[in-house]
Structure formats: C-alpha cells, structure tokens
Amino acid sequence: MKVIVDLTIVPIGVGISLSKYVAACEDVLNRPGLKTALHANGTNIEGEWDEVFAAVKACHEKVHGMGAPRIHTNIKLGTRTDREQSLEDKVNSVVAKQQG
Amino acid sequence: MKVIVDLTIVPIGVGISLSKYVAACEDVLNRPGLKTALHANGTNIEGEWDEVFAAVKACHEKVHGMGAPRIHTNIKLGTRTDREQSLEDKVNSVVAKQQG
Amino acid sequence: MKVIVDLTIVPIGVGISLSKYVAACEDVLNRPGLKTALHANGTNIEGEWDEVFAAVKACHEKVHGMGAPRIHTNIKLGTRTDREQSLEDKVNSVVAKQQG
Amino acid sequence: MKVIVDLTIVPIGVGISLSKYVAACEDVLNRPGLKTALHANGTNIEGEWDEVFAAVKACHEKVHGMGAPRIHTNIKLGTRTDREQSLEDKVNSVVAKQQG
C-alpha cells in the first residue's frame, strides 16, 4: 500500500530553535524508496507504507538521540486504491484546475 | 518506544456519512496491547510504536476493503524519553493545573 | 457557520512540561457560546466559527503572555451544511454503528 | 499577530476528485496581505492572524457554495514573539543546517 504523507516534527524541551532537528530528520528520511519534498511547514513523503513509517520512527529515534526528551509530531496521510498518485500529481491536478 | 496517538480517518468517495467506517476502524484498533479512547474528533491510542502503526495500517486496509477508494488521515503523536505517560496522565496533568 | 474543532497547542521554548499552558488555554476557551471537551491529545470545541477562532486567537495571546515565545498548534475542523451536529452526536453515531 | 499556517481542506460527499475544490480555495486565498505556497498536501499561508482566518473561512464558504455538504480541514499554525519569520525563512533554516 503506497502512502503520501506530510510529516511535521516538533521537538519539545530543546529551546526555541528546531531547525537542526528537522534537518537531522530530513537526513533520516533521505533513503532509497522514499521521495521527499521539504516545505515551510513539514516534509512531504511518498513511498510504501512500511518504509515510510519505518523512516518516521527512525526520525523520532534520531531526534531523541540528539537530546530531545519529547517530540510532538503531526502526520497527514493519504492512501488510495483507485489509482497511483505522486507528490507531483497532487500539485499538478490543482494547478490544472486553476488554469482550466 | 511507546507512543500516544490521536487518529482521525476521513474516508473519501463514500458519501457524507462516515461513522460506519470509523466504527470498523475502532474494531480494528481494539486489540491486545493498545488502549483506545474515542472522542468527537478522533481516537486516542496508547501503545508501543510498532503495534500502534500496525493497527493504523490495518484500519486503512479495513476501510479500503469496505469500499472506500481513498482515505485522508490525520495523526498527532507524541513520544517522550523522560518518563512514562498514559492517556489518563495527560488529561489529569491539565486538570490538576486548572484546579491548582 | 457552526464549526467543530479539535485544538492542540504546543508551546515551544518553555521546557518539557506544557500542562500549565494547556490549562490556561482551557480557561480562555471556557466562555459563553462555546462547548468544550478536554481529551488526552487536545480539546474539542463546538461553536460558531467567529467565536471559536476568536477564542483560539485569545489562547495564543494568553500563552505568549505567559512567556512562551513560540507556539505550534494543530486544528482539525469540520463544517457541514446538511445538518446540525454536536460533539456528542459525533461520538454517538460511531458508537451506534459499533453496536449495530 | 503574524501567523504561518498549513491548510488542507478535504471536501466530503462530492466524490473522489477534490482538486477543483482545492483550486477554488487557492483562488480565495490569493488576496492582498497573504503569501501562499501550494504543496502536495496543502497550502502554506503567511499573514496576519485575522486576515488568514478570514480567508480560511471564505474558503469553507466557497467550497460549501460549490456543493460540498461537509468539509474536513487540517490546520497547522505557528506564531512566535521572538522574531519575524517567513515561509522562506523556515525552509532556509533547515537547509542551512543540512549543509552546515
């Protein structure tokens, strides 16, 4: 089952600057089988369910390992059985409707 | 790694009434090792990471199997390494501060 | 336009214990016209759109005023034009399907 | 109070293709005072709190007016009092840490 995810991690208890933790998580997500796209409020990820969630778990383990005692994470995820859809497809379908 | 999750599934393409899909997902989540609590906008789940996400995946598979071609899901999740915390602990800590 | 919301605030830069900020936010949300229900991962709110979002804004102002320099918030919200629905209705419709 | 938002709308009861509703919402968000950036799982928005949430409300009204009887929406939002931050700043701070 393929899944498209939007992942936002919020390390808690490490002060106000979170970018180094997000960057470390990006490195963890950058693995074969996953396609990722960083945006201002999270990271979009495309891949097989088990691989995506293994990477999300590895991201939590990495960030805890960097010293964050607590992590709040948001995930939006979509699965569909009617057809294949990529990250690019999702943006393109909206843009096409705007231009139509 | 223990995780506390708030899960909201939104089946798409099956009309406007979603409660039977949410109920089926509840049944799937009701398994040994997980503690769950239904609320108006989702279901809180407490358990080990792998077991929680196996159940979330099984929920998607169940709802697709019921005929939903597309599912949008929201997950809020928290992990912490400083101490154990249960669903009840989280509510109680807020209530205690309100009464304090 | 009536709205049902699930609100989760995560103050950042104030250490690891967040419950006093959540409790203060609960106090702000406890105002005429809004119905609220605290759960383990957030607070469900029912009310008119403008009143709900005025309260959410007041919550942010309150928590910043308590010293939190940064707040990450998650909102799930639902509006519908086909019929009225309360927080209780949403839980009951799922429970009814489970028992059916 | 400035806010950075990630907005995802999910119209319910209008079938499986949602892009025309998202496109209509994009048009509504495209107004003076707001900066927006579409991505695969939502739209990032930067602006003053009242203007951002007026636009989100207008988006719901627009999509209901197009015939969607029910809308599920997710909002991630951030406010901070320590410094100004733009959509670009948020991406750049992560990228800088990756390259550092």
Side-chain angles (χ1 to χ4, degrees):
Chain A
M1 186 163 52
K2 194 176 155 184
V3 63
I4 286 182
V5 158
D6 181 21
L7 174 71
T8 302
I9 64 159
V10 184
I12 298 169
V14 289
I16 197 171
S17 180
L18 308 180
S19 53
K20 79 171 177 180
Y21 303 95
V22 177
C25 183
E26 287 295 297
D27 289 343
V28 169
L29 297 173
N30 186 10
R31 53 174 69 180
L34 301 189
K35 190 160 54 178
T36 66
L38 178 69
H39 64 88
N41 285 300
T43 302
N44 291 319
I45 312 169
E46 177 189 334
E48 286 297 315
W49 182 291
D50 290 345
E51 294 174 26
V52 169
F53 282 99
V56 173
K57 184 183 179 186
C59 169
H60 267 246
E61 291 169 335
K62 174 73 175 177
V63 173
H64 281 310
M66 292 170 73
R70 190 175 176 183
I71 306 171
H72 171 86
T73 286
N74 292 118
I75 296 171
K76 292 182 285 196
L77 73 93
T79 57
R80 56 193 309 171
T81 56
D82 59 327
R83 65 180 178 91
E84 286 275 314
Q85 192 181 36
S86 69
L87 294 177
E88 292 77 15
D89 292 337
K90 285 174 71 76
V91 170
N92 290 340
S93 64
V94 173
V95 172
K97 289 298 191 312
Q98 288 183 287
Q99 294 169 340
Chain B
M1 184 164 50
K2 193 176 157 185
V3 63
I4 286 182
V5 159
D6 181 20
L7 173 72
T8 302
I9 63 158
V10 184
I12 298 170
V14 291
I16 197 170
S17 179
L18 308 180
S19 53
K20 78 171 178 181
Y21 303 95
V22 177
C25 183
E26 286 295 297
D27 289 343
V28 169
L29 296 173
N30 186 11
R31 53 174 66 181
L34 301 189
K35 189 158 56 176
T36 65
L38 178 68
H39 65 86
N41 286 300
T43 301
N44 291 320
I45 311 170
E46 177 188 334
E48 286 297 315
W49 182 290
D50 290 345
E51 295 174 24
V52 168
F53 281 100
V56 173
K57 185 185 180 188
C59 170
H60 267 245
E61 291 169 335
K62 173 74 175 177
V63 172
H64 280 309
M66 292 170 73
R70 190 175 175 183
I71 306 171
H72 172 85
T73 286
N74 292 117
I75 296 171
K76 291 181 286 196
L77 73 92
T79 56
R80 57 194 307 171
T81 55
D82 58 327
R83 63 178 178 93
E84 286 274 314
Q85 191 180 38
S86 68
L87 294 177
E88 292 77 16
D89 291 338
K90 284 174 72 75
V91 171
N92 290 340
S93 63
V94 174
V95 172
K97 290 297 191 313
Q98 288 184 286
Q99 293 170 340
Chain C
M1 185 163 53
K2 193 174 155 184
V3 63
I4 286 183
V5 159
D6 181 21
L7 174 71
T8 302
I9 64 159
V10 184
I12 298 169
V14 290
I16 197 170
S17 180
L18 308 179
S19 53
K20 78 171 178 180
Y21 303 94
V22 177
C25 182
E26 287 295 296
D27 289 343
V28 169
L29 297 173
N30 186 11
R31 52 174 68 181
L34 300 189
K35 189 158 59 177
T36 65
L38 177 69
H39 65 87
N41 286 299
T43 302
N44 291 319
I45 312 170
E46 177 189 333
E48 286 297 316
W49 182 290
D50 290 346
E51 295 174 26
V52 168
F53 282 99
V56 173
K57 184 183 179 187
C59 169
H60 268 246
E61 291 169 336
K62 174 73 176 178
V63 172
H64 280 310
M66 292 170 73
R70 189 175 178 184
I71 307 171
H72 171 86
T73 286
N74 292 117
I75 296 172
K76 291 181 287 196
L77 73 90
T79 56
R80 57 195 306 171
T81 55
D82 58 326
R83 64 180 179 91
E84 287 274 314
Q85 192 181 38
S86 68
L87 293 177
E88 291 78 14
D89 292 338
K90 284 173 72 77
V91 170
N92 290 341
S93 64
V94 174
V95 172
K97 289 297 190 314
Q98 289 183 284
Q99 293 169 341
Chain D
M1 184 164 51
K2 193 176 156 185
V3 62
I4 285 183
V5 159
D6 180 21
L7 173 71
T8 302
I9 64 159
V10 184
I12 299 169
V14 292
I16 197 169
S17 180
L18 308 180
S19 52
K20 78 171 178 181
Y21 302 94
V22 176
C25 183
E26 286 295 295
D27 289 342
V28 168
L29 296 173
N30 186 10
R31 51 174 69 180
L34 301 189
K35 189 159 58 177
T36 65
L38 178 69
H39 64 87
N41 286 300
T43 302
N44 290 319
I45 312 170
E46 177 188 334
E48 287 297 315
W49 182 290
D50 291 345
E51 294 174 27
V52 169
F53 282 99
V56 173
K57 185 185 180 186
C59 170
H60 267 246
E61 290 169 336
K62 174 72 174 178
V63 173
H64 281 311
M66 292 171 73
R70 190 175 177 182
I71 306 169
H72 172 85
T73 286
N74 292 115
I75 296 171
K76 291 181 287 197
L77 73 92
T79 57
R80 56 194 308 170
T81 55
D82 58 328
R83 64 178 177 94
E84 285 275 315
Q85 192 181 38
S86 69
L87 294 177
E88 292 76 15
D89 291 338
K90 285 173 72 75
V91 171
N92 291 340
S93 65
V94 173
V95 172
K97 289 296 191 316
Q98 287 183 287
Q99 293 169 340

